[in-house]
Amino acid sequence: MSKDIRDETTGMTTRVLVSDVMNSPIVHAGPNDDLIKISKLMTDAKIGSIIILDNDKPLGIVTDMDIVSKSIAAGHIPSEIKASSIMQPLVSINGEESITSAARLLRQHGIKRLGVTHKGNLVGIISVSDVLAVTPELFDVVSEKSLLIRGEIGRSPRNISGYCDECGEWSDFLLYADGSYTCEVCRGE
C-alpha cells in the first residue's frame, strides 16, 4: 500500500511512489562474470551499477565505485576479479513505498541505490539521483499550496497542480476545500 506524504501545516497530500521514478528493466550479470564484462555492460547501458543474479535470484550489486575502490585502486587486474568477490548486498524497497521512504532507507544504509520489488520480484532500481530528480517539484507544490492556504498568494486555487487527496491521481486543477485538495473528477465537474 502506498504511503502519503502529508504536510501537517497545509493538510495537503503529495504522493510519489518508488515505482514512479525507478529505472527498469534491471541490467544484470552473473556472479562469475569478470569486471571487464561488468564495466562494458555499465558503459553500454550508461549506468553506475549492475545487479548480480544467479538463476534469476538477486545476489547483490556491483557499483562503479566498487570497481574503482575494490579493484583498480587496489592494484588488481579487472579481468581476474569476479563480481561475487566485490559485490555488496542489495537492499530493496517495495515499489509501492513513497520516495520519502526510499530516501530514508538510502540514508540509513549509506548507499546510493536500492533494488525495487513488486510481489517479491526485483523489477527495477532507484537511485539517489532518481529521488533528487523529483524533489524540487515536490517542494514547489508544497510551497505553492502552503502560500495559497495562508492567503499569501491571490491566484485561484483551481490553478494548483498536484495529487488529488481523494483519488490520488495527478491533476492540474485541484481545488482546496474542507482541508483537502480534490480534482475536477472527484468534485463531479
Side-chain angles (χ1 to χ4, degrees):
M1 173 166 249
S2 65
K3 292 186 178 181
D4 293 342
I5 303 168
R6 183 167 294 278
D7 183 300
E8 297 302 324
T9 307
T10 64
M12 181 237 29
T13 301
T14 302
R15 182 176 45 210
V16 178
L17 303 179
V18 167
S19 59
D20 294 334
V21 296
M22 73 176 185
N23 296 294
S24 184
I26 61 167
V27 178
H28 60 88
N32 293 319
D33 289 335
D34 66 43
L35 298 190
I36 298 295
K37 179 177 180 178
I38 290 171
S39 296
K40 285 181 181 177
L41 286 170
M42 284 186 196
T43 300
D44 292 346
K46 296 181 177 139
I47 56 175
S49 65
I50 296 286
I51 300 298
I52 306 304
L53 298 178
D54 189 24
N55 295 323
D56 294 327
K57 180 183 177 227
L59 298 179
I61 185 169
V62 173
T63 68
D64 47 6
M65 190 59 175
D66 293 329
I67 294 172
V68 170
S69 65
K70 296 176 182 175
S71 175
I72 307 300
H76 299 294
I77 299 170
S79 61
E80 296 176 0
I81 304 295
K82 304 294 181 203
S84 60
S85 67
I86 70 163
M87 69 182 179
Q88 8 175 341
L90 179 64
V91 178
S92 297
I93 188 168
N94 186 295
E96 295 301 308
E97 293 289 328
S98 70
I99 62 163
T100 303
S101 296
R104 285 186 185 116
L105 198 55
L106 288 162
R107 186 182 67 225
Q108 176 186 352
H109 289 278
I111 56 177
K112 295 181 180 179
R113 297 165 183 90
L114 295 169
V116 180
T117 60
H118 177 71
K119 296 184 180 179
N121 296 314
L122 186 66
V123 295
I125 296 284
I126 186 169
S127 69
V128 169
S129 298
D130 299 325
V131 172
L132 290 175
V134 296
T135 302
E137 286 79 14
L138 289 176
F139 285 133
D140 289 345
V141 169
V142 170
S143 295
E144 186 174 345
K145 289 181 180 181
S146 179
L147 290 171
L148 179 68
I149 288 170
R150 291 193 310 253
E152 295 178 22
I153 57 175
R155 64 178 234 202
S156 167
R158 293 186 185 274
N159 295 329
I160 299 299
S161 298
Y163 288 97
C164 175
D165 288 334
E166 194 168 316
C167 68
E169 295 295 318
W170 182 266
S171 172
D172 290 323
F173 304 101
L174 293 179
L175 178 63
Y176 182 75
D178 300 323
S180 66
Y181 286 90
T182 54
C183 66
E184 62 279 11
V185 174
C186 292
R187 292 190 309 270
E189 294 178 1

